[in-house]
Amino acid sequence: MKLYSVFGALTVSLGVVQAIDFTSWSSKSYADGEPIPLMVNKVTSDSTQLPYAYYDLPFVCPPLEKISHVGLNLGEILRGDRIARSDYVVNMGEEAECATLCTVKVDTSDIERAISLIRNSYVVEWIMDNLPGATSFVSVDKTHKYYAAGFKLGSYENDVAYINNHVTMIVRYRPDVKDPSRKQIVAFEVYPKSIAADSAGCRRKIKSDGKKLGLDSSKDTMEITYSYSVYFKEDLDIEYSNRWDLYFLNNTESDSIHWLAVINSLVILSLLTALVAIIMVRTLSRDIQTYNQDLHGEDDKNISEDVSGWKLVHGDVFRPPVHKGVLASLVGAGVQMFVMALAVLGFATFGFLSPSYRGGFLTLALVLFVFAGVFSGYFSSRLYKSFKGVKWLKNALRTASLVPGVLFGFIFVLNFFSWAQSSSSAIPFGTLIGLISMWLLILMPLVVIGGWWGFKRPTIEPPVRVKQIARQIPERPWYMSLWFSVAFGGFVAFAVILIELLFILKSVWQDKTGYYYLYGFLGLTYVIEMVTVVEISIVTTYVQLSAEDYNWWWRSFSVGTGSAFWIFLYSVWYYLTKLNMTGFVSGLLFFSYSLIACVVYGLCTGTVGFLGSYWFVSKIYTAVKTD
């Protein structure tokens, strides 16, 4: 029993079940008859990557007055949210069996647009009291219910599209603890239905077996009448502070899978750790002792036959690599990405990123990315100076421009495709200007400041002297080639994150009505992955040096990025076998965003692998006594 309690407490602490709702700190309550604003947002689909603003649809009820948009944060804008106030009348405690919203007259092009969206299974997103309108489902074992955000725009049956023109809204509430005369909303359920028009209008009784409203594109015009029903139900089983839990209960059914994934990752990490321990404790320790006792002060020509491998290249191992400025800039950008990812996952794991704060994850990531520019400039400058570089300002500007510039340019080009499709995912011009300003006016100065600070620090001196003439590198077998090291090392690291990657891909591309909130498991997997990458880089670097190949700088970075290539290949397989996307633009956006994610991830792992190998090489050659 105690073991079960510990397991349950650990699961909750990982953020799997318990979600902190920031709205509970300043809870909103309503008096009887008080209006409750109903917001409309967008329509999304798992079959495409093109969301559309609700009021941009030509076949829905337009607002009676000018569209009243709600202020959005940066993350909400980038994820395609376009929240606006609707004309639905919802007053606390006042039920409506059937109320007519409007009648829309549509033409052939509007009908075809509606049919296309319904065929692609688009889902409508509404918001009430900061809760997404949800459809309730029952778990497989029928022990509890859970919510899926949104409701279907329509249904497609027997080659006929039926539009859902009537919604039944169920608002669940409980009395406010501080003021029992006021009520707090704890759930917002929306159940859509397609109802054909009749002479009775909205006075008719809504029946489940009524005739549906089918869309016919052969007609020149058509009228669609939208109506709604509102019901209020008191629910004392749901606490206001835990009202988001129903959106995550479906995720808790996979707890055992996540724990098995963590155990699998730990097993792989343990095997690697044992291998590194053998290298460090037995092989290296014995080699160093033998070398220092028998060969101190001798030239390479007097070295005995037992002395070979990594000990022979001590005079070349710290020779600066080719394209040293580019490597320093990539490592600086990788440090920036690593700090950003670690901080965001830390905030999310400990519950400081509530799902009620839409776009909070993306907003925080961008802000941390910008301010982490100080670390990028500092580490890049320190490494560049150790390579005997002198143009610190040029290096800082390259660090601030190389990776952020490429990523921004890539996103800028993709934005044209979203804009051409009139999708709400297209970044507005004002937001683009804001992003450019963040890059040029905040990120770049911070990188320069960090670069200046790092260049003023003492130079990192190598533990052994670098010879003037480079040693000849012997010919290597095929399994010592760069591509094999990257592929094999990357596959081991990829195996550590594979199961968690499945859940992430499903949440991002397949299940937009759900919420990924397993940040505890993700954070734990992230830490295990980084340690795994470090150990893989150390092993491959040791094997390379043992083959008397001292060009380890770029190889250690490349081996660290190996798992990113496997992730991209897996994304291709996932697209071909798991997804049912339609359209060229949707496929382009999928592969482009997957590539961007792999680049960011690869910079993190490549930098961590490089720094781990740097520490390892410095450590072993510090222990070697040379002239």
Side-chain angles (χ1 to χ4, degrees):
M1 184 67 181
K2 292 183 178 179
L3 181 61
Y4 177 81
S5 300
V6 171
F7 179 83
L10 182 57
T11 302
V12 172
S13 67
L14 286 173
V16 181
V17 178
Q18 192 68 28
I20 297 177
D21 184 0
F22 285 179
T23 58
S24 63
W25 297 353
S26 56
S27 58
K28 175 71 175 177
S29 60
Y30 300 88
D32 288 336
E34 183 177 350
I36 306 174
L38 175 61
M39 309 292 180
V40 295
N41 187 7
K42 60 184 177 182
V43 293
T44 61
S45 172
D46 295 337
S47 299
T48 72
Q49 300 309 313
L50 298 170
Y52 298 98
Y54 183 81
Y55 275 143
D56 286 346
L57 304 180
F59 51 85
V60 302
C61 291
L64 298 177
E65 301 178 356
K66 183 180 179 181
I67 299 177
S68 177
H69 287 287
V70 177
L72 304 176
N73 59 51
L74 181 59
E76 287 177 310
I77 296 175
L78 295 179
R79 66 197 291 263
D81 286 347
R82 300 295 183 265
I83 303 175
R85 297 182 182 274
S86 72
D87 293 328
Y88 286 90
V89 179
V90 181
N91 298 323
M92 176 57 74
E94 297 181 2
E95 297 186 344
E97 182 179 356
C98 187
T100 301
L101 181 65
C102 77
T103 298
V104 181
K105 188 174 183 180
V106 295
D107 56 20
T108 302
S109 62
D110 298 337
I111 297 174
E112 291 177 348
R113 178 74 184 283
I115 293 175
S116 175
L117 294 180
I118 293 173
R119 185 185 292 115
N120 286 310
S121 304
Y122 269 80
V123 173
V124 183
E125 294 186 12
W126 286 359
I127 302 170
M128 178 182 290
D129 194 42
N130 211 23
L131 280 177
T135 306
S136 66
F137 296 91
V138 180
S139 61
V140 177
D141 56 4
K142 298 182 180 181
T143 57
H144 61 268
K145 75 173 184 178
Y146 60 90
Y147 284 160
F151 60 92
K152 292 184 178 181
L153 181 64
S155 59
Y156 197 77
E157 304 171 7
N158 300 322
D159 294 331
V160 178
Y162 300 96
I163 189 168
N164 291 326
N165 59 329
H166 179 86
V167 291
T168 299
M169 294 179 276
I170 298 178
V171 182
R172 300 183 181 274
Y173 67 91
R174 62 176 297 136
D176 191 346
V177 177
K178 297 180 180 179
D179 186 1
S181 64
R182 303 180 65 86
K183 299 178 177 64
Q184 294 177 321
I185 298 176
V186 294
F188 174 41
E189 302 173 4
V190 182
Y191 299 97
K193 189 178 181 182
S194 178
I195 300 177
D198 56 23
S199 58
C202 200
R203 292 173 296 176
R204 67 193 183 284
K205 185 176 181 180
I206 307 299
K207 295 183 179 180
S208 58
D209 57 349
K211 187 178 179 180
K212 298 180 180 179
L213 179 59
L215 300 178
D216 188 358
S217 59
S218 63
K219 296 182 179 179
D220 294 333
T221 60
M222 183 177 177
E223 290 188 348
I224 303 176
T225 300
Y226 287 90
S227 57
Y228 62 99
S229 304
V230 182
Y231 299 97
F232 290 86
K233 293 185 178 180
E234 185 177 17
D235 195 330
L236 301 179
D237 295 330
I238 304 175
E239 296 289 341
Y240 184 82
S241 59
N242 299 329
R243 62 182 188 162
W244 278 88
D245 286 2
L246 287 172
Y247 294 90
F248 309 126
L249 284 179
N250 192 36
N251 292 335
T252 61
E253 297 178 356
S254 60
D255 288 355
S256 58
I257 300 177
H258 285 279
W259 281 112
L260 289 175
V262 171
I263 294 173
N264 172 72
S265 302
L266 289 174
V267 169
I268 297 175
L269 179 60
S270 300
L271 295 175
L272 277 175
T273 303
L275 181 60
V276 173
I278 293 174
I279 293 174
M280 294 290 290
V281 177
R282 297 185 60 184
T283 307
L284 282 176
S285 179
R286 184 176 61 248
D287 287 352
I288 290 172
Q289 289 178 5
T290 303
Y291 186 82
N292 290 337
Q293 291 173 2
D294 300 336
L295 306 170
H296 174 55
E298 298 292 333
D299 295 331
D300 288 349
K301 62 182 180 180
N302 297 324
I303 294 178
S304 64
E305 295 180 358
D306 292 336
V307 179
S308 60
W310 65 273
K311 301 175 288 298
L312 293 179
V313 297
H314 63 80
D316 300 279
V317 72
F318 288 101
R319 190 179 303 280
V322 295
H323 307 300
K324 58 185 179 182
V326 176
L327 179 59
S329 297
L330 290 178
V331 170
V335 170
Q336 185 179 8
M337 300 291 186
F338 177 80
V339 171
M340 175 199 70
L342 190 64
V344 172
L345 285 176
F347 280 109
T349 299
F350 290 101
F352 292 103
L353 284 180
S354 170
S356 62
Y357 179 40
R358 292 171 181 82
F361 190 95
L362 188 55
T363 301
L364 180 61
L366 288 173
V367 171
L368 290 174
F369 173 78
V370 170
F371 285 98
V374 174
F375 298 96
S376 174
Y378 178 81
F379 280 90
S380 175
S381 187
R382 292 274 284 168
L383 184 61
Y384 179 73
K385 188 177 182 180
S386 71
F387 291 155
K388 308 304 178 184
V390 294
K391 299 180 181 179
W392 72 270
L393 182 58
K394 178 182 178 181
N395 178 72
L397 294 176
R398 179 174 53 234
T399 303
S401 305
L402 183 60
V403 173
V406 171
L407 291 179
F408 180 81
F410 203 47
I411 294 174
F412 183 78
V413 173
L414 290 177
N415 196 56
F416 282 105
F417 290 92
S418 298
W419 174 77
Q421 297 291 323
S422 300
S423 173
S424 63
S425 61
I427 305 174
F429 180 75
T431 305
L432 283 175
I433 297 299
L435 292 174
I436 295 176
S437 301
M438 290 175 63
W439 173 29
L440 299 179
L441 302 181
I442 303 178
L443 173 60
M444 191 167 288
L446 288 176
V447 174
V448 172
I449 292 173
W452 172 82
W453 181 27
F455 203 78
K456 290 296 181 181
R457 300 284 293 170
T459 305
I460 303 175
E461 296 293 344
V464 292
R465 186 177 58 189
V466 179
K467 295 181 178 180
Q468 294 183 353
I469 301 177
R471 183 185 180 88
Q472 185 176 0
I473 300 175
E475 187 176 351
R476 297 167 300 179
W478 64 270
Y479 55 83
M480 290 291 296
S481 61
L482 176 62
W483 68 266
F484 184 81
S485 299
V486 172
F488 180 76
F491 182 78
V492 175
F494 172 72
V496 172
I497 62 172
L498 175 59
I499 298 179
E500 198 64 36
L501 179 64
L502 283 170
F503 286 94
I504 295 175
L505 291 176
K506 181 179 179 182
S507 176
V508 174
W509 302 112
Q510 274 189 292
D511 191 12
K512 293 184 176 64
T513 59
Y515 290 87
Y516 182 87
Y517 210 67
L518 304 173
Y519 296 120
F521 285 116
L522 181 60
L524 184 58
T525 304
Y526 180 78
V527 173
I528 297 174
E529 173 73 353
M530 292 302 133
V531 177
T532 303
V533 169
V534 168
E535 294 185 347
I536 291 173
S537 297
I538 289 176
V539 172
T540 54
T541 299
Y542 171 74
V543 173
Q544 180 184 359
L545 295 177
S546 297
E548 301 179 19
D549 183 357
Y550 50 82
N551 294 322
W552 62 274
W553 304 95
W554 276 104
R555 181 182 287 249
S556 63
F557 184 88
S558 301
V559 169
T561 64
S563 55
F565 294 100
W566 285 104
I567 292 176
F568 186 76
L569 291 176
Y570 185 81
S571 299
V572 175
W573 176 86
Y574 193 85
Y575 176 85
L576 296 175
T577 60
K578 300 293 183 179
L579 300 181
N580 188 27
M581 290 187 183
T582 57
F584 169 77
V585 176
S586 297
L588 176 66
L589 292 177
F590 172 85
F591 288 112
S592 299
Y593 290 140
S594 298
L595 180 61
I596 291 174
C598 290
V599 168
V600 172
Y601 168 82
L603 284 171
C604 288
T605 53
T607 299
V608 169
F610 172 84
L611 295 177
S613 294
Y614 199 167
W615 171 84
F616 169 74
V617 173
S618 301
K619 196 75 174 176
I620 63 174
Y621 284 100
T622 300
V624 172
K625 299 177 182 179
T626 60
D627 288 339

